[in-house]
Amino acid sequence: MTLRVSAAAAVLAATALLGLAPQAVAAPVPQPEAATAEHRAAAGRAAGAPDTLATLSRFFAREGKVSLTAAQPRIEGEAVPVNHLSPDFVAGRPGASVARLEFLASQAVSSDGQRAALWTARTENGWQVVNIATGDDEFRYARLGAAKLPGGTVFREPQIDAWYVAGGGRVLPLDEDGVRAVGGGGTTLGAYRARVAEAYGDKLPGSAYAERGAAGGYAEAGADADAVPDAVSAAAEGAQVPWTAGAAVLVLGGLAAAAVRRSRRPVGARA
């Protein structure tokens, strides 16, 4: 399983690693139902802003792989929508789609070839970068999904870090975690709904599980940063991370603390 934590956990982990104070938690702002051309353009502007590029230079230079002045980050291509399994679908609400838009991702590349994803979400102050993550998962699985099921909805089940594409009443896996969950040939939308309802039905927002603070896998703002690596380690070891707040919950103040690393396996690699 790749290392994936919520945007909030990622920010807190980054602050622990970089010695910076955790950012305050803002009120969630609902994301639009679909990524329009206007939304993509706004996300692209946020990703390509001078302050964002300056932070990207520091991000790419953080381990000495490239110097701060030589990083010269650039944004490649258009922002892509990133969808997550919808709690409304899990709850069985009539008409609910299997996934909902969580954020838009823009691909950043440094002069030495390092890649990162800029997670951009709608906030009270407009479209802003809320996290930076290493690698290219968001873009790779968007391409794989479009090739496997043209016109389908590519989405991630974050609790097990599985990627799928859904369409025509089918859910097809895009990575090995998805294969383990629904089989190599995929499953029907109804069968997938039954599986996620059994797995997460008692962990939805508003449940007793969520109300006692178990959902999300991250500490509250102002929590001791020493506790953050435990959440990251749990995710790396395959622990389920139940429902998290949307990516717009946390905005990186000045992008000062934007850094999270994800371990990866090649697409199609054996477990």
Side-chain angles (χ1 to χ4, degrees):
M1 175 177 292
T2 58
L3 175 55
R4 287 273 187 161
V5 290
S6 70
V11 173
L12 289 173
T15 60
L17 291 171
L18 301 181
L20 300 171
Q23 303 298 310
V25 175
V29 175
Q31 298 308 294
E33 292 185 3
T36 65
E38 181 181 358
H39 297 149
R40 291 173 189 262
R45 288 192 295 271
D51 286 349
T52 305
L53 295 177
T55 297
L56 278 168
S57 292
R58 297 193 296 273
F59 179 85
F60 287 129
R62 70 197 183 282
E63 293 182 341
K65 294 179 179 179
V66 65
S67 71
L68 185 64
T69 55
Q72 298 180 335
R74 66 187 186 277
I75 304 302
E76 281 193 353
E78 189 179 48
V80 301
V82 179
N83 305 295
H84 283 182
L85 173 63
S86 169
D88 287 343
F89 177 79
V90 174
R93 295 207 168 100
S97 298
V98 66
R100 69 180 183 187
L101 181 67
E102 287 292 309
F103 54 88
L104 298 180
S106 295
Q107 184 161 215
V109 184
S110 72
S111 61
D112 66 338
Q114 294 182 72
R115 293 182 179 271
L118 295 168
W119 297 1
T120 309
R122 186 171 63 181
T123 74
E124 291 179 344
N125 298 314
W127 286 87
Q128 291 184 296
V129 175
V130 296
N131 193 48
I132 302 176
T134 60
D136 65 348
D137 279 8
E138 293 79 5
F139 319 102
R140 190 156 41 92
Y141 290 119
R143 292 192 298 270
L144 285 172
K148 194 166 190 176
L149 189 59
T153 299
V154 175
F155 72 100
R156 178 173 173 253
E157 184 182 331
Q159 294 79 7
I160 60 171
D161 193 29
W163 287 85
Y164 312 91
V165 59
R170 299 285 298 175
V171 176
L172 306 179
L174 296 177
D175 67 353
E176 59 197 59
D177 294 305
V179 169
R180 280 194 290 268
V182 301
T187 188
T188 65
L189 190 63
Y192 180 73
R193 190 331 206 154
R195 188 188 74 78
V196 295
E198 180 179 1
Y200 315 124
D202 61 345
K203 300 175 178 65
L204 292 167
S207 66
Y209 183 86
E211 289 176 358
R212 69 173 182 264
Y218 57 87
E220 295 180 0
D224 188 347
D226 290 340
V228 173
D230 292 337
V232 176
S233 296
E237 292 168 2
Q240 283 191 357
V241 180
W243 296 107
T244 65
V249 171
L250 267 175
V251 178
L252 303 182
L255 289 178
V260 60
R261 293 199 298 172
R262 304 185 290 206
S263 60
R264 317 193 162 270
R265 293 174 304 197
V267 175
R270 287 190 174 277

